[in-house]
Amino acid sequence: MNDRTGPRVSLVLGSGGARGLTHIGIIRWLEAQGYRIESIAGCSMGALVGGIHAAGKLDSYCDWVCALRRTDVLRFLDLAFHSSGLIKGDRIIDRLREMVGEHDIEQLPITYTAVATDIERQREVWITKGPLFDAIRASIAVPTVFTPHRYLGLTLVDGGLLNPVPIAPTFRDLTDLTIAVNLNGDPEDAPASTTTLAPGPASASKTSSNQKRDDDLRGRILEFLDGIGESLKSDDVEARELGMFELMSRSFETMQNAISAMKLAAYAPDVLINVPRDVCEAHEFHRARELIEIGYRLAERAIADAAPSSA
């Protein structure tokens, strides 16, 4: 990282479920072009990807997430059976901690801020010190999906609730450019992916076998989530009636879209990379390879478009 001579960048990584995997492609493109990422502010998936990159383990995470299939996701659904959230999140955080290692934020080589929401005092919280994975766990706590995270006496949930594109934490940075990634961009045709994602015969057989296990609660949850995406493609009006999970997800995204528009109007970054919000469903982490490539291409296009004004 020290041998790069390109512009110093403050990188803002927004929230948006599996769309946050495009952050990986964006980071890869910036580094390939010699940009020096010296500061990261992120919320939800932006905090997760940004924190792992700041710890120097993004390649390991990328290899792991690209190997995930639909059925693999089941292993990380540690159901909470609790009124405050469906998933505890301990299993996925433990796996990431094993992969990345223990880190204190203040010791990271890249300045890092995870944005969460203090649900009791109804305010934004910037986590800039302490254990990295406490910050990440707090920031990814999507209301009703993940249980809230208790940290330093606070009850914290997803930072995207109040600030889906957290630019303000970068104001004090002494960098050349602020590049923000908005995962709630207007629907449009995303850059075409050339990645082949079809599973092999063994993988397909395993997937089919797991989907038929109706008595497996986690399996039924995954089928329910996958069914949401299928219902959106249907021409049958009755079939497209919103279910509970979809209604919650769309309501959260509608709120985030409105807040993002206001935040970006008030605090315009030097470069804005918009990831279309219809590029994937929030739970489609099995499409990692495709989404990373889309992020790479979106970064290339956005920087090219912004070059005259940011030069």
Side-chain angles (χ1 to χ4, degrees):
M1 203 176 299
N2 294 331
D3 59 348
R4 295 192 177 94
T5 58
R8 297 167 300 167
V9 171
S10 293
L11 185 60
V12 179
L13 302 177
S15 64
R19 292 192 301 277
L21 294 172
T22 59
H23 291 321
I24 300 173
I26 290 166
I27 290 171
R28 283 186 161 178
W29 187 89
L30 290 172
E31 292 202 319
Q33 303 307 310
Y35 288 84
R36 293 176 290 164
I37 300 171
E38 296 190 351
S39 171
I40 295 175
C43 67
S44 201
M45 269 299 288
L48 189 152
V49 172
I52 292 174
H53 177 64
K57 295 293 185 178
L58 190 60
D59 286 345
S60 297
Y61 174 72
C62 182
D63 291 342
W64 175 75
V65 78
C66 283
L68 289 180
R69 295 293 180 264
R70 283 184 175 92
T71 49
D72 294 325
V73 177
L74 292 174
R75 293 183 292 113
F76 300 104
L77 297 181
D78 48 349
L79 304 181
F81 297 106
H82 195 284
S83 59
S84 64
L86 179 66
I87 301 168
K88 290 185 291 185
D90 295 342
R91 193 170 295 168
I92 181 62
I93 290 296
D94 288 345
R95 179 65 186 93
L96 293 175
R97 187 183 283 111
E98 177 186 330
M99 183 190 312
V100 176
E102 296 282 2
H103 296 272
D104 286 331
I105 294 172
E106 55 268 42
Q107 301 300 320
L108 296 173
I110 295 175
T111 302
Y112 173 77
T113 303
V115 177
T117 299
D118 179 345
I119 198 66
E120 293 177 342
R121 291 185 285 181
Q122 301 182 0
R123 70 179 190 182
E124 196 174 321
V125 174
W126 298 354
I127 307 176
T128 59
K129 61 182 180 180
L132 174 62
F133 281 102
D134 272 314
I136 290 174
R137 176 61 181 86
S139 191
I140 67 171
V142 180
T144 73
V145 177
F146 285 97
T147 56
H149 186 60
R150 291 287 298 178
Y151 182 59
L152 298 178
L154 305 176
T155 302
L156 302 175
V157 297
D158 195 325
L161 196 64
L162 293 180
N163 197 350
V165 190
I167 296 174
T170 68
F171 285 171
R172 62 187 177 185
D173 294 343
L174 298 176
T175 53
D176 302 312
L177 285 173
T178 297
I179 299 176
V181 184
N182 172 31
L183 298 182
N184 296 288
D186 291 335
E188 62 181 38
D189 291 330
S193 171
T194 58
T195 303
T196 301
L197 297 175
S203 177
S205 175
K206 181 181 177 183
T207 299
S208 175
S209 175
N210 277 274
Q211 287 177 340
K212 291 177 181 178
R213 293 172 58 188
D214 291 339
D215 60 332
D216 181 354
L217 179 57
R218 289 192 294 246
R220 281 181 277 143
I221 289 174
L222 188 63
E223 288 177 9
F224 172 62
L225 295 178
D226 284 339
I228 293 171
E230 293 302 317
S231 69
L232 294 177
K233 302 174 185 176
S234 174
D235 292 329
D236 187 338
V237 175
E238 291 184 2
R240 295 186 60 175
E241 184 177 348
L242 296 180
M244 181 183 68
F245 182 87
E246 186 185 349
L247 178 60
M248 179 198 71
S249 179
R250 286 199 186 184
S251 298
F252 192 61
E253 285 197 353
T254 298
M255 178 189 68
Q256 286 189 316
N257 294 342
I259 295 173
S260 294
M262 290 188 292
K263 295 286 187 180
L264 291 169
Y267 310 127
D270 297 298
V271 178
L272 177 63
I273 301 174
N274 281 307
V275 177
R277 59 181 174 268
D278 63 348
V279 77
C280 73
E281 298 297 329
H283 65 282
E284 292 185 315
F285 290 92
H286 61 280
R287 294 176 58 190
R289 197 175 300 276
E290 174 190 359
L291 292 166
I292 290 167
E293 183 179 346
I294 288 172
Y296 193 97
R297 296 184 179 211
L298 285 171
E300 182 177 35
R301 185 170 72 187
I303 299 294
D305 290 345
S309 60
S310 62

Coordinates of all heavy atoms in Angstrom, one line a residue, residues 158-243:
D158 N -28.4 -1.3 13.1 CA -27.9 -0.9 11.8 C -27.7 0.6 11.6 O -28.7 1.4 11.8 CB -28.8 -1.4 10.7 CG -28.2 -1.4 9.3 OD1 -27.4 -0.5 9.0 OD2 -28.6 -2.3 8.6
G159 N -26.5 1.0 11.2 CA -26.3 2.5 11.0 C -27.1 3.0 9.8 O -27.3 4.2 9.8
G160 N -27.5 2.1 8.9 CA -28.3 2.6 7.7 C -29.6 3.1 8.1 O -30.3 3.8 7.3
L161 N -30.0 2.9 9.4 CA -31.3 3.4 9.8 C -31.4 4.9 9.8 O -32.4 5.5 9.5 CB -31.6 2.9 11.2 CG -33.0 3.0 11.8 CD1 -33.9 2.1 11.0 CD2 -33.0 2.5 13.3
L162 N -30.2 5.6 10.1 CA -30.2 7.0 10.1 C -29.2 7.6 9.1 O -29.3 8.8 8.7 CB -29.7 7.5 11.5 CG -30.7 7.3 12.6 CD1 -30.1 7.9 13.9 CD2 -32.0 8.0 12.4
N163 N -28.2 6.8 8.6 CA -27.2 7.3 7.7 C -26.7 6.3 6.8 O -25.6 5.7 7.0 CB -26.1 8.0 8.5 CG -25.3 8.9 7.6 OD1 -25.4 9.0 6.4 ND2 -24.4 9.7 8.2
P164 N -27.4 6.0 5.7 CA -27.0 4.9 4.8 C -25.7 5.1 4.0 O -25.1 4.2 3.5 CB -28.2 4.8 3.8 CG -29.3 5.5 4.5 CD -28.7 6.6 5.3
V165 N -25.3 6.4 3.9 CA -24.1 6.8 3.2 C -23.3 7.7 4.1 O -23.4 9.0 3.9 CB -24.4 7.4 1.8 CG1 -23.1 7.5 1.0 CG2 -25.4 6.6 1.0
P166 N -22.6 7.2 5.1 CA -22.0 8.1 6.1 C -20.8 8.9 5.7 O -19.6 8.5 6.0 CB -21.7 7.1 7.2 CG -21.3 5.8 6.5 CD -22.2 5.8 5.3
I167 N -21.0 10.0 5.0 CA -19.9 10.9 4.6 C -19.3 11.7 5.7 O -18.1 12.0 5.7 CB -20.4 11.8 3.4 CG1 -20.8 10.9 2.2 CG2 -19.4 12.8 3.0 CD1 -21.5 11.7 1.1
A168 N -20.2 12.2 6.6 CA -19.7 13.2 7.6 C -18.5 12.7 8.4 O -17.6 13.5 8.7 CB -20.8 13.5 8.6
P169 N -18.3 11.4 8.7 CA -17.1 11.0 9.5 C -15.8 11.3 8.8 O -14.7 11.2 9.4 CB -17.3 9.5 9.7 CG -18.8 9.3 9.7 CD -19.3 10.3 8.7
T170 N -15.9 11.5 7.5 CA -14.6 11.7 6.7 C -14.2 13.2 6.6 O -13.2 13.5 6.0 CB -14.8 11.2 5.3 OG1 -15.7 12.0 4.5 CG2 -15.2 9.7 5.3
F171 N -15.0 14.1 7.2 CA -14.8 15.5 7.0 C -13.4 16.0 7.5 O -12.8 16.9 7.0 CB -15.9 16.3 7.7 CG -17.2 16.4 7.0 CD1 -18.3 16.9 7.6 CD2 -17.3 15.9 5.7 CE1 -19.5 17.0 6.9 CE2 -18.5 15.9 5.1 CZ -19.6 16.4 5.7
R172 N -12.9 15.3 8.6 CA -11.7 15.7 9.2 C -10.5 15.0 8.5 O -9.3 15.3 8.8 CB -11.6 15.2 10.6 CG -11.8 13.7 10.8 CD -11.9 13.4 12.3 NE -12.1 11.9 12.4 CZ -12.3 11.3 13.6 NH1 -12.4 12.1 14.7 NH2 -12.5 10.0 13.7
D173 N -10.7 14.2 7.5 CA -9.6 13.5 6.8 C -8.8 14.5 5.9 O -9.3 15.4 5.2 CB -10.1 12.4 5.9 CG -10.8 11.3 6.6 OD1 -10.6 11.2 7.9 OD2 -11.5 10.5 6.0
L174 N -7.5 14.3 5.9 CA -6.6 15.1 5.1 C -6.2 14.2 3.8 O -5.1 13.8 3.7 CB -5.3 15.5 5.8 CG -5.6 16.4 7.1 CD1 -4.3 16.6 7.8 CD2 -6.2 17.7 6.7
T175 N -7.2 14.0 3.0 CA -7.1 13.2 1.8 C -7.4 14.1 0.6 O -7.9 15.2 0.7 CB -8.0 12.0 1.8 OG1 -9.3 12.4 2.1 CG2 -7.5 11.0 2.9
D176 N -7.1 13.5 -0.6 CA -7.3 14.2 -1.9 C -8.7 14.1 -2.4 O -9.3 15.0 -3.0 CB -6.3 13.7 -2.9 CG -4.9 13.9 -2.5 OD1 -4.5 15.0 -2.0 OD2 -4.1 12.9 -2.6
L177 N -9.4 13.0 -2.1 CA -10.7 12.7 -2.7 C -11.6 12.0 -1.7 O -11.1 11.2 -0.9 CB -10.6 11.8 -3.9 CG -10.1 12.3 -5.3 CD1 -9.9 11.1 -6.2 CD2 -11.1 13.3 -5.8
T178 N -12.9 12.3 -1.7 CA -13.8 11.5 -1.0 C -14.7 10.8 -2.0 O -15.3 11.4 -2.9 CB -14.7 12.4 -0.1 OG1 -13.9 13.0 0.9 CG2 -15.8 11.5 0.6
I179 N -14.7 9.5 -2.0 CA -15.4 8.6 -2.9 C -16.5 7.9 -2.1 O -16.2 7.2 -1.1 CB -14.5 7.6 -3.6 CG1 -13.5 8.4 -4.5 CG2 -15.4 6.7 -4.5 CD1 -12.5 7.4 -5.1
A180 N -17.7 8.1 -2.4 CA -18.9 7.5 -1.7 C -19.6 6.4 -2.6 O -19.7 6.6 -3.8 CB -19.8 8.5 -1.2
V181 N -20.0 5.3 -1.9 CA -20.7 4.3 -2.6 C -22.1 4.2 -2.1 O -22.3 3.9 -0.9 CB -20.0 2.9 -2.5 CG1 -20.7 1.9 -3.3 CG2 -18.5 3.0 -2.9
N182 N -23.1 4.5 -2.9 CA -24.5 4.4 -2.5 C -25.1 3.2 -3.1 O -25.1 3.0 -4.3 CB -25.2 5.7 -3.1 CG -26.7 5.6 -2.9 OD1 -27.2 5.0 -1.9 ND2 -27.4 6.2 -3.8
L183 N -25.5 2.3 -2.2 CA -26.1 1.0 -2.6 C -27.6 1.1 -2.9 O -28.2 0.0 -3.1 CB -25.8 -0.1 -1.5 CG -24.3 -0.4 -1.2 CD1 -24.3 -1.5 -0.2 CD2 -23.6 -0.8 -2.5
N184 N -28.1 2.3 -2.9 CA -29.6 2.4 -3.1 C -29.8 3.3 -4.3 O -30.7 4.1 -4.4 CB -30.2 3.1 -1.9 CG -30.1 2.2 -0.7 OD1 -30.8 1.2 -0.6 ND2 -29.3 2.5 0.3
G185 N -29.0 3.1 -5.4 CA -29.1 3.8 -6.6 C -30.4 3.5 -7.4 O -31.0 2.4 -7.2
D186 N -30.7 4.4 -8.3 CA -31.9 4.1 -9.1 C -31.8 2.8 -9.9 O -30.7 2.6 -10.4 CB -32.2 5.3 -10.0 CG -32.6 6.5 -9.3 OD1 -33.2 6.4 -8.2 OD2 -32.4 7.7 -9.8
P187 N -32.9 2.1 -10.1 CA -32.8 0.9 -10.9 C -32.4 1.2 -12.3 O -32.8 2.2 -12.9 CB -34.2 0.3 -10.9 CG -34.8 0.9 -9.6 CD -34.2 2.2 -9.4
E188 N -31.5 0.4 -12.8 CA -31.0 0.6 -14.2 C -30.2 -0.7 -14.6 O -30.0 -1.6 -13.8 CB -30.1 1.8 -14.3 CG -28.8 1.7 -13.5 CD -27.9 2.9 -13.6 OE1 -28.5 4.0 -13.6 OE2 -26.7 2.7 -13.6
D189 N -29.8 -0.7 -15.8 CA -29.0 -1.9 -16.3 C -27.6 -1.7 -15.7 O -26.9 -0.8 -16.1 CB -29.0 -2.0 -17.8 CG -30.3 -2.3 -18.4 OD1 -31.1 -3.0 -17.7 OD2 -30.6 -1.9 -19.5
A190 N -27.3 -2.7 -14.8 CA -25.9 -2.7 -14.3 C -24.9 -3.2 -15.3 O -25.4 -3.8 -16.3 CB -25.9 -3.5 -13.0
P191 N -23.6 -2.9 -15.2 CA -22.7 -3.5 -16.1 C -22.8 -5.0 -16.2 O -23.0 -5.7 -15.2 CB -21.3 -3.1 -15.5 CG -21.6 -1.9 -14.7 CD -23.0 -2.1 -14.2
A192 N -22.8 -5.5 -17.5 CA -22.9 -6.9 -17.6 C -21.8 -7.7 -17.0 O -20.7 -7.3 -17.0 CB -23.0 -7.3 -19.1
S193 N -22.2 -8.8 -16.4 CA -21.2 -9.7 -15.7 C -20.8 -10.8 -16.7 O -21.7 -11.4 -17.4 CB -21.7 -10.3 -14.4 OG -20.8 -11.2 -13.9
T194 N -19.5 -11.2 -16.8 CA -19.1 -12.3 -17.6 C -18.8 -13.5 -16.7 O -18.4 -14.5 -17.2 CB -17.8 -11.9 -18.3 OG1 -16.8 -11.5 -17.4 CG2 -18.0 -10.7 -19.3
T195 N -19.1 -13.4 -15.5 CA -18.9 -14.5 -14.6 C -19.9 -15.6 -14.7 O -21.1 -15.4 -14.8 CB -18.9 -14.0 -13.1 OG1 -17.9 -13.0 -13.0 CG2 -18.6 -15.2 -12.1
T196 N -19.4 -16.9 -14.8 CA -20.3 -18.0 -14.8 C -20.5 -18.6 -13.4 O -19.6 -18.9 -12.8 CB -19.7 -19.1 -15.7 OG1 -19.5 -18.6 -17.0 CG2 -20.6 -20.3 -15.8
L197 N -21.8 -18.6 -13.0 CA -22.1 -19.0 -11.7 C -22.8 -20.3 -11.5 O -23.2 -20.7 -10.4 CB -23.0 -17.9 -11.0 CG -22.3 -16.5 -10.9 CD1 -23.3 -15.6 -10.4 CD2 -21.1 -16.6 -10.0
A198 N -23.0 -21.0 -12.7 CA -23.7 -22.3 -12.6 C -23.0 -23.3 -11.7 O -21.8 -23.6 -12.0 CB -23.9 -22.8 -14.0
P199 N -23.7 -23.9 -10.8 CA -23.0 -24.9 -9.9 C -22.8 -26.2 -10.7 O -23.5 -26.5 -11.6 CB -24.0 -25.1 -8.8 CG -25.3 -24.8 -9.4 CD -25.1 -23.7 -10.4
G200 N -21.8 -27.0 -10.2 CA -21.5 -28.3 -10.8 C -22.6 -29.3 -10.4 O -23.4 -29.0 -9.5
P201 N -22.6 -30.5 -11.0 CA -23.6 -31.5 -10.6 C -23.7 -31.8 -9.2 O -24.8 -31.9 -8.6 CB -23.1 -32.7 -11.4 CG -22.3 -32.2 -12.5 CD -21.6 -30.9 -12.0
A202 N -22.5 -31.9 -8.5 CA -22.6 -32.3 -7.1 C -23.2 -31.2 -6.3 O -24.0 -31.4 -5.4 CB -21.2 -32.5 -6.6
S203 N -22.9 -29.9 -6.6 CA -23.4 -28.7 -5.9 C -24.9 -28.6 -6.1 O -25.7 -28.4 -5.2 CB -22.7 -27.5 -6.3 OG -23.3 -26.4 -5.7
A204 N -25.3 -28.9 -7.4 CA -26.7 -28.8 -7.7 C -27.5 -29.8 -7.0 O -28.6 -29.6 -6.5 CB -26.9 -29.0 -9.2
S205 N -27.0 -31.1 -6.9 CA -27.6 -32.1 -6.2 C -27.8 -31.8 -4.7 O -28.8 -32.0 -4.1 CB -26.8 -33.4 -6.3 OG -27.4 -34.5 -5.6
K206 N -26.7 -31.2 -4.1 CA -26.8 -30.9 -2.7 C -27.9 -29.8 -2.4 O -28.6 -29.9 -1.5 CB -25.4 -30.4 -2.2 CG -25.4 -30.0 -0.8 CD -24.0 -29.5 -0.4 CE -23.9 -29.1 1.0 NZ -22.6 -28.5 1.4
T207 N -27.9 -28.8 -3.4 CA -28.9 -27.8 -3.2 C -30.3 -28.3 -3.3 O -31.2 -28.0 -2.5 CB -28.7 -26.7 -4.3 OG1 -27.4 -26.1 -4.2 CG2 -29.8 -25.6 -4.2
S208 N -30.6 -29.2 -4.3 CA -31.9 -29.8 -4.4 C -32.3 -30.6 -3.2 O -33.4 -30.5 -2.7 CB -31.9 -30.7 -5.7 OG -33.1 -31.4 -5.8
S209 N -31.3 -31.3 -2.7 CA -31.6 -32.2 -1.5 C -32.0 -31.3 -0.3 O -32.9 -31.6 0.4 CB -30.3 -33.0 -1.1 OG -30.5 -33.7 0.1
N210 N -31.3 -30.2 -0.1 CA -31.6 -29.3 1.1 C -32.9 -28.6 0.9 O -33.6 -28.4 1.9 CB -30.4 -28.3 1.2 CG -29.3 -28.9 2.0 OD1 -29.2 -28.9 3.2 ND2 -28.3 -29.4 1.3
Q211 N -33.3 -28.3 -0.3 CA -34.5 -27.5 -0.5 C -35.7 -28.4 -0.2 O -36.8 -27.9 0.1 CB -34.6 -27.0 -2.0 CG -33.6 -25.8 -2.2 CD -33.6 -25.4 -3.6 OE1 -34.0 -26.1 -4.5 NE2 -33.2 -24.2 -3.9
K212 N -35.5 -29.8 -0.3 CA -36.6 -30.7 -0.1 C -36.8 -31.0 1.3 O -37.8 -31.7 1.7 CB -36.4 -32.0 -0.9 CG -36.5 -31.8 -2.5 CD -36.2 -33.0 -3.2 CE -36.3 -32.8 -4.7 NZ -35.9 -34.1 -5.4
R213 N -35.9 -30.5 2.2 CA -36.1 -30.9 3.6 C -37.0 -29.8 4.3 O -36.5 -28.9 4.9 CB -34.7 -30.9 4.2 CG -33.8 -32.0 3.8 CD -32.4 -31.8 4.3 NE -32.3 -31.8 5.7 CZ -31.2 -31.5 6.4 NH1 -30.1 -31.2 5.8 NH2 -31.3 -31.5 7.7
D214 N -38.3 -30.0 4.1 CA -39.3 -29.1 4.6 C -39.3 -29.0 6.1 O -39.8 -28.0 6.7 CB -40.7 -29.4 4.0 CG -40.7 -29.1 2.5 OD1 -39.9 -28.4 2.0 OD2 -41.6 -29.7 1.9
D215 N -38.8 -30.1 6.7 CA -38.8 -30.1 8.2 C -37.6 -29.3 8.8 O -37.6 -29.1 10.0 CB -38.8 -31.5 8.7 CG -37.6 -32.3 8.3 OD1 -37.1 -31.9 7.2 OD2 -37.2 -33.2 9.0
D216 N -36.7 -28.8 8.0 CA -35.6 -28.0 8.4 C -36.0 -26.6 8.5 O -36.2 -26.0 7.4 CB -34.4 -28.3 7.5 CG -33.2 -27.5 7.9 OD1 -33.3 -26.7 8.9 OD2 -32.1 -27.7 7.3
L217 N -36.1 -26.0 9.6 CA -36.6 -24.6 9.8 C -35.7 -23.7 9.0 O -36.2 -22.8 8.3 CB -36.6 -24.2 11.2 CG -37.1 -22.8 11.5 CD1 -38.5 -22.6 10.9 CD2 -37.1 -22.6 13.0
R218 N -34.4 -23.8 9.1 CA -33.5 -22.9 8.4 C -33.7 -23.0 6.9 O -33.7 -22.1 6.1 CB -32.1 -23.1 8.8 CG -31.8 -22.7 10.2 CD -30.3 -22.7 10.5 NE -29.7 -24.0 10.5 CZ -29.2 -24.6 11.5 NH1 -29.2 -24.0 12.7 NH2 -28.7 -25.8 11.4
G219 N -34.0 -24.3 6.4 CA -34.2 -24.5 5.0 C -35.4 -23.8 4.5 O -35.5 -23.2 3.5
R220 N -36.5 -23.8 5.3 CA -37.7 -23.2 5.0 C -37.6 -21.7 4.9 O -38.2 -21.0 4.1 CB -38.8 -23.6 5.9 CG -39.4 -25.0 5.6 CD -40.5 -25.4 6.5 NE -40.0 -26.0 7.7 CZ -40.5 -25.8 8.9 NH1 -41.5 -25.0 9.1 NH2 -40.0 -26.3 10.0
I221 N -36.8 -21.1 5.9 CA -36.5 -19.7 5.8 C -35.8 -19.3 4.6 O -36.2 -18.3 3.9 CB -35.7 -19.3 7.1 CG1 -36.5 -19.4 8.3 CG2 -35.1 -17.9 6.9 CD1 -35.7 -19.2 9.6
L222 N -34.8 -20.1 4.2 CA -34.1 -19.7 2.9 C -35.0 -19.8 1.7 O -34.9 -19.0 0.8 CB -32.9 -20.7 2.8 CG -31.9 -20.3 1.6 CD1 -31.3 -18.9 1.9 CD2 -30.9 -21.3 1.4
E223 N -35.8 -20.9 1.7 CA -36.8 -21.0 0.6 C -37.7 -19.8 0.5 O -38.1 -19.3 -0.6 CB -37.6 -22.3 0.7 CG -36.8 -23.5 0.4 CD -37.6 -24.8 0.6 OE1 -38.8 -24.7 0.8 OE2 -37.0 -25.9 0.6
F224 N -38.1 -19.3 1.7 CA -39.0 -18.2 1.8 C -38.3 -16.9 1.2 O -38.9 -16.2 0.4 CB -39.4 -17.9 3.2 CG -40.2 -16.7 3.5 CD1 -41.4 -16.5 2.9 CD2 -39.6 -15.7 4.3 CE1 -42.1 -15.3 3.1 CE2 -40.3 -14.5 4.5 CZ -41.6 -14.3 4.0
L225 N -37.1 -16.7 1.5 CA -36.3 -15.6 1.0 C -36.1 -15.7 -0.5 O -36.3 -14.7 -1.2 CB -35.0 -15.5 1.7 CG -35.0 -15.2 3.2 CD1 -33.6 -15.2 3.8 CD2 -35.7 -13.9 3.5
D226 N -35.8 -16.9 -1.0 CA -35.6 -17.0 -2.4 C -36.9 -16.8 -3.1 O -36.9 -16.3 -4.3 CB -35.1 -18.4 -2.7 CG -33.6 -18.6 -2.4 OD1 -32.9 -17.5 -2.3 OD2 -33.1 -19.7 -2.2
G227 N -38.0 -17.2 -2.5 CA -39.3 -17.0 -3.1 C -39.7 -15.6 -3.3 O -40.5 -15.2 -4.2
I228 N -39.1 -14.7 -2.5 CA -39.4 -13.3 -2.7 C -39.0 -12.8 -4.0 O -39.7 -12.1 -4.8 CB -38.7 -12.5 -1.6 CG1 -39.4 -12.8 -0.2 CG2 -38.8 -11.0 -1.8 CD1 -38.6 -12.2 1.0
G229 N -37.7 -13.2 -4.4 CA -37.2 -12.7 -5.7 C -38.0 -13.3 -6.8 O -38.3 -12.6 -7.8
E230 N -38.5 -14.5 -6.7 CA -39.3 -15.1 -7.8 C -40.6 -14.4 -7.9 O -41.1 -14.2 -9.0 CB -39.5 -16.6 -7.5 CG -38.2 -17.5 -7.6 CD -37.5 -17.4 -8.9 OE1 -38.2 -17.4 -9.9 OE2 -36.3 -17.2 -8.9
S231 N -41.2 -14.0 -6.8 CA -42.5 -13.4 -6.9 C -42.4 -12.1 -7.6 O -43.4 -11.6 -8.2 CB -43.1 -13.2 -5.5 OG -42.4 -12.2 -4.7
L232 N -41.3 -11.4 -7.5 CA -41.1 -10.1 -8.2 C -41.1 -10.2 -9.7 O -41.4 -9.3 -10.4 CB -39.8 -9.4 -7.7 CG -39.8 -9.0 -6.2 CD1 -38.4 -8.4 -5.9 CD2 -40.9 -8.0 -5.9
K233 N -40.8 -11.4 -10.2 CA -40.7 -11.6 -11.6 C -42.0 -12.1 -12.2 O -42.2 -12.2 -13.4 CB -39.6 -12.7 -11.9 CG -38.3 -12.3 -11.4 CD -37.3 -13.5 -11.6 CE -35.9 -13.2 -10.9 NZ -35.0 -14.4 -11.0
S234 N -43.0 -12.4 -11.4 CA -44.3 -12.9 -11.8 C -45.2 -11.8 -12.4 O -45.2 -10.7 -12.0 CB -45.0 -13.6 -10.7 OG -46.3 -14.0 -11.0
D235 N -46.0 -12.2 -13.4 CA -46.9 -11.3 -14.0 C -48.3 -11.4 -13.3 O -49.1 -10.6 -13.5 CB -47.2 -11.6 -15.5 CG -45.9 -11.3 -16.3 OD1 -45.2 -10.4 -16.0 OD2 -45.7 -12.1 -17.3
D236 N -48.4 -12.3 -12.4 CA -49.7 -12.5 -11.7 C -49.7 -11.5 -10.6 O -48.9 -11.5 -9.7 CB -49.7 -13.9 -11.1 CG -51.0 -14.3 -10.5 OD1 -51.8 -13.3 -10.1 OD2 -51.3 -15.5 -10.3
V237 N -50.7 -10.6 -10.6 CA -50.8 -9.5 -9.6 C -51.0 -10.1 -8.2 O -50.4 -9.6 -7.3 CB -52.0 -8.6 -10.0 CG1 -52.2 -7.6 -8.8 CG2 -51.8 -7.9 -11.3
E238 N -51.8 -11.2 -8.1 CA -52.0 -11.8 -6.8 C -50.7 -12.4 -6.3 O -50.4 -12.3 -5.1 CB -53.1 -12.8 -6.9 CG -54.5 -12.2 -7.1 CD -55.6 -13.3 -7.0 OE1 -55.2 -14.5 -6.8 OE2 -56.7 -13.0 -7.3
A239 N -49.9 -13.0 -7.2 CA -48.7 -13.6 -6.7 C -47.7 -12.6 -6.3 O -46.8 -12.9 -5.5 CB -48.1 -14.4 -7.9
R240 N -47.8 -11.3 -6.7 CA -46.9 -10.3 -6.3 C -47.3 -9.5 -5.1 O -46.7 -8.5 -4.7 CB -46.7 -9.3 -7.5 CG -46.0 -10.0 -8.7 CD -45.7 -9.0 -9.8 NE -44.8 -7.9 -9.3 CZ -44.3 -7.0 -10.1 NH1 -44.6 -7.0 -11.4 NH2 -43.5 -6.1 -9.6
E241 N -48.3 -9.9 -4.4 CA -48.7 -9.3 -3.2 C -47.6 -9.4 -2.2 O -47.0 -10.5 -2.0 CB -50.0 -10.0 -2.6 CG -50.5 -9.3 -1.4 CD -51.8 -9.9 -0.9 OE1 -52.4 -10.7 -1.7 OE2 -52.3 -9.6 0.2
L242 N -47.3 -8.3 -1.5 CA -46.2 -8.3 -0.6 C -46.4 -9.2 0.6 O -47.4 -9.2 1.3 CB -46.0 -6.8 -0.1 CG -45.6 -5.8 -1.1 CD1 -45.4 -4.4 -0.5 CD2 -44.3 -6.2 -1.9
G243 N -45.3 -10.0 0.9 CA -45.3 -10.8 2.1 C -44.7 -9.9 3.2 O -44.2 -8.8 3.0

